[in-house]
Amino acid sequence: MARILIVEARFYEHLNDQLIEGARAVIEAAGHETEVLTVPGALEVPGAIALTAESGDYDGFVAIGVVIRGETYHFEIVAGESARAIMALTMDGIAIGNGILTVENEAQAQVRADPAQKDKGGEAARAALAMMALAERFAR
């Protein structure tokens, strides 16, 4: 049994709850244990993963959050930099499924977060499990 940490940027609570529900369902169906760690925003998710990965307590990670375009350039920075930092961690061999939604509006986020619709939380968990399997196969 693997231990998988869901790291969530707790900003849009109702959407995060759905993303976490989808991720947990996939992880638990695969017979693994999960825990949730909450950070303030999407920019803090990669840092939290890096800090907790060093502990060796977790076999994989699922990044959860929602970034909705606003009226300023801040959206591009948050969306781009959080994705870039998560990708850098995966290149270092950390098994991560990226479930941080970057959308134009809340309606788009709702469809993607809902486990009965696009289930992006579940999709991110499946990605983490796939990366964990690769890491195990190639003994990283």
Side-chain angles (χ1 to χ4, degrees):
M1 175 181 355
R3 294 186 68 212
I4 301 169
L5 183 64
I6 298 171
V7 180
E8 69 149 337
R10 190 90 179 151
F11 196 79
Y12 296 97
E13 294 181 9
H14 63 293
L15 297 168
N16 276 21
D17 288 344
Q18 292 179 74
L19 289 165
I20 291 169
E21 176 186 342
R24 275 196 161 137
V26 167
I27 293 165
E28 291 171 2
H32 302 302
E33 182 181 308
T34 187
E35 184 179 332
V36 176
L37 175 67
T38 301
V39 297
L43 289 174
E44 289 76 36
V45 170
I49 291 172
L51 290 170
T52 55
E54 289 179 13
S55 74
D57 292 342
Y58 301 97
D59 303 292
F61 300 86
V62 178
I64 295 291
V66 179
V67 183
I68 299 175
R69 184 179 301 278
E71 297 176 3
T72 68
Y73 184 69
H74 186 67
F75 170 86
E76 282 81 6
I77 293 170
V78 174
E81 290 301 311
S82 63
R84 182 201 56 76
I86 288 170
M87 182 57 68
L89 293 170
T90 64
M91 297 302 290
D92 287 339
I94 300 172
I96 305 171
N98 187 352
I100 297 177
L101 303 181
T102 53
V103 296
E104 295 294 325
N105 54 56
E106 191 167 338
Q108 288 178 349
Q110 179 60 50
V111 169
R112 286 158 179 76
D114 186 349
Q117 294 185 60
K118 294 211 180 229
D119 192 22
K120 294 297 182 176
E123 188 177 297
R126 283 187 286 281
L129 293 172
M131 295 305 289
M132 288 166 51
L134 279 175
E136 185 177 321
R137 177 179 173 196
F138 294 102
R140 293 194 120 217

